[in-house]
Amino acid sequence: MKLRCAVLDDYQGAALTSADWSPLADRVDVRVLREHLTDRDALVDAVEDCEILVVMRERTPVDAGLLARLPRLRLLITSGMRNASVDVAAARARGVTVCGTASSSEPPTELTWALLLGLARHVPAEARSLREGGPWQSTVGADLAGRTLGLVGLGKIGARVARIGLAFGMDVLAWSPNLTEERAAEHGVRLAKDGRELFADSDFVSVHMVLSDRTRGLVGEPELRAMRPHAYLVNTSRAGLVDGAALLRALREGWIAGAGLDVFETEPLPVDDPLRSLPNVLALPHLGYVTEGNYGRYFGQAVEDIEAFLAGAPVRELG
């Protein structure tokens, strides 16, 4: 009898076309769920017969409670090699193998700049005006050259964002709790003495940190109030890094000029969420990692993970 595999949250219906699943055809029945199931009972009903689950990033949390209701599950695959919404320890305790895939840092870097440039040059408003027959040139864009880009975090993605900022002729300032002057210098950027200096001195701030108990709410009301009224905040990392209530106040009351957001506390974002309608927000539906190349890696290596598991030699195990 074939094993059953479900791919969760395949919003674009891209899982089966992004990789060659044919090597599994005689051993595994694969189905995709395109709709995000927020109701836990509905999710269990949809996948409780499966021995294999493939999850995309943090779209559906797989915690101990869900694992307890999936007694047939033997293999859990997540895109990327780190997924905070998967309880790996609970899975291993139940005898479930957890494997990951490669993930590239280029796509979120590129999307960060799409948001930053879109904000700086008022791209959505001008494009909408042109399409709808509105005013010809109704805004004045912000320059990048000579302005200061502040980076909260200088890891793989932050460092790539920094290089592009330098190429634009920007002064790049960086800070995080553990960032050293030596590492900042390696990437040609200045180290801010603390977070307040970074927010106060930057024309554009982009957040690139891993979300943890220590970093949750790292960008709060003091940091947002320290920003200049013409400054913009961009977050393509995790919503929890920024105090959501403080950000809403900052946007509504004009503490900052606007924000570019690709991540939200609740995803998909509720239709009545104010972030969908605020005029100074450029928001995207968590597209940072959503590219042809990354999907090819995710689903191609998911197939490899399944093949290796079936052969009794799992690869890319998470521990």
Side-chain angles (χ1 to χ4, degrees):
M1 181 180 294
K2 291 183 179 181
L3 298 181
R4 283 154 291 202
C5 170
V7 180
L8 302 187
D9 301 305
D10 183 17
Y11 297 151
Q12 302 96 340
L16 299 184
T17 58
S18 295
D20 180 10
W21 294 77
S22 64
L24 304 175
D26 61 341
R27 294 169 290 169
V28 182
D29 281 328
V30 181
R31 63 178 184 264
V32 300
L33 280 66
R34 295 195 58 175
E35 297 297 321
H36 177 67
L37 298 176
T38 56
D39 182 83
R40 184 59 64 94
D41 292 336
L43 176 60
V44 171
D45 288 344
V47 302
E48 62 184 344
D49 64 328
C50 293
E51 291 84 9
I52 303 169
L53 287 184
V54 178
V55 300
M56 174 63 73
R57 311 300 292 177
E58 292 90 11
R59 291 176 184 175
T60 292
V62 183
D63 55 24
L66 178 60
L67 289 163
R69 298 180 64 181
L70 303 176
R72 298 180 63 92
L73 187 64
R74 296 168 53 194
L75 174 64
L76 175 63
I77 299 169
T78 174
S79 58
M81 291 300 294
R82 181 176 59 213
N83 188 334
S85 70
V86 171
D87 191 332
V88 177
R92 291 172 68 90
R94 299 189 66 84
V96 177
T97 300
V98 184
C99 298
T101 73
S103 183
S104 173
S105 58
E106 284 90 348
T109 300
E110 294 165 0
L111 193 83
T112 295
W113 280 99
L115 287 170
L116 196 151
L117 288 166
L119 288 167
R121 301 304 293 269
H122 307 287
V123 171
E126 292 289 4
R128 183 170 56 252
S129 180
L130 182 66
R131 184 174 57 250
E132 297 175 354
W136 184 263
Q137 297 185 356
S138 59
T139 63
V140 178
D143 296 282
L144 299 188
R147 295 293 182 90
T148 299
L149 170 64
L151 298 176
V152 182
L154 198 63
K156 287 192 299 183
I157 296 174
R160 289 181 180 277
V161 173
R163 288 201 293 274
I164 297 170
L166 292 170
F168 273 118
M170 302 185 78
D171 175 29
V172 182
L173 191 63
W175 173 85
S176 70
N178 298 317
L179 183 61
T180 65
E181 191 167 349
E182 290 74 21
R183 176 165 174 79
E186 286 176 11
H187 295 285
V189 309
R190 296 189 295 118
L191 176 67
K193 66 179 180 182
D194 53 33
R196 185 173 182 82
E197 179 183 69
L198 180 134
F199 284 90
D201 291 356
S202 298
D203 301 292
F204 300 88
V205 175
S206 190
V207 183
H208 301 284
M209 295 283 290
V210 173
L211 180 63
S212 66
D213 291 340
R214 185 171 60 90
T215 61
R216 182 172 291 279
L218 186 68
V219 182
E221 181 171 334
E223 291 73 24
L224 293 168
R225 284 194 179 276
M227 292 177 69
R228 304 170 184 178
H230 70 264
Y232 293 94
L233 177 75
V234 175
N235 187 6
T236 58
S237 295
R238 291 294 181 269
L241 295 166
V242 180
D243 181 328
L247 178 59
L248 275 178
R249 286 192 63 197
L251 292 165
R252 284 170 166 162
E253 297 177 14
W255 307 353
I256 61 176
L261 306 174
D262 189 46
V263 287
F264 309 93
E265 285 286 4
T266 300
E267 296 185 5
L269 191 64
V271 294
D272 60 348
D273 193 290
L275 291 174
R276 286 183 177 265
S277 56
L278 284 173
N280 54 350
V281 173
L282 175 52
L284 296 174
H286 206 157
L287 297 177
Y289 56 88
V290 180
T291 66
E292 295 172 352
N294 250 358
Y295 270 30
R297 293 180 192 92
Y298 293 164
F299 296 117
Q301 292 190 12
V303 173
E304 294 174 3
D305 288 349
I306 296 171
E307 287 188 289
F309 175 80
L310 295 178
V315 295
R316 291 183 286 268
E317 280 194 81
L318 305 185

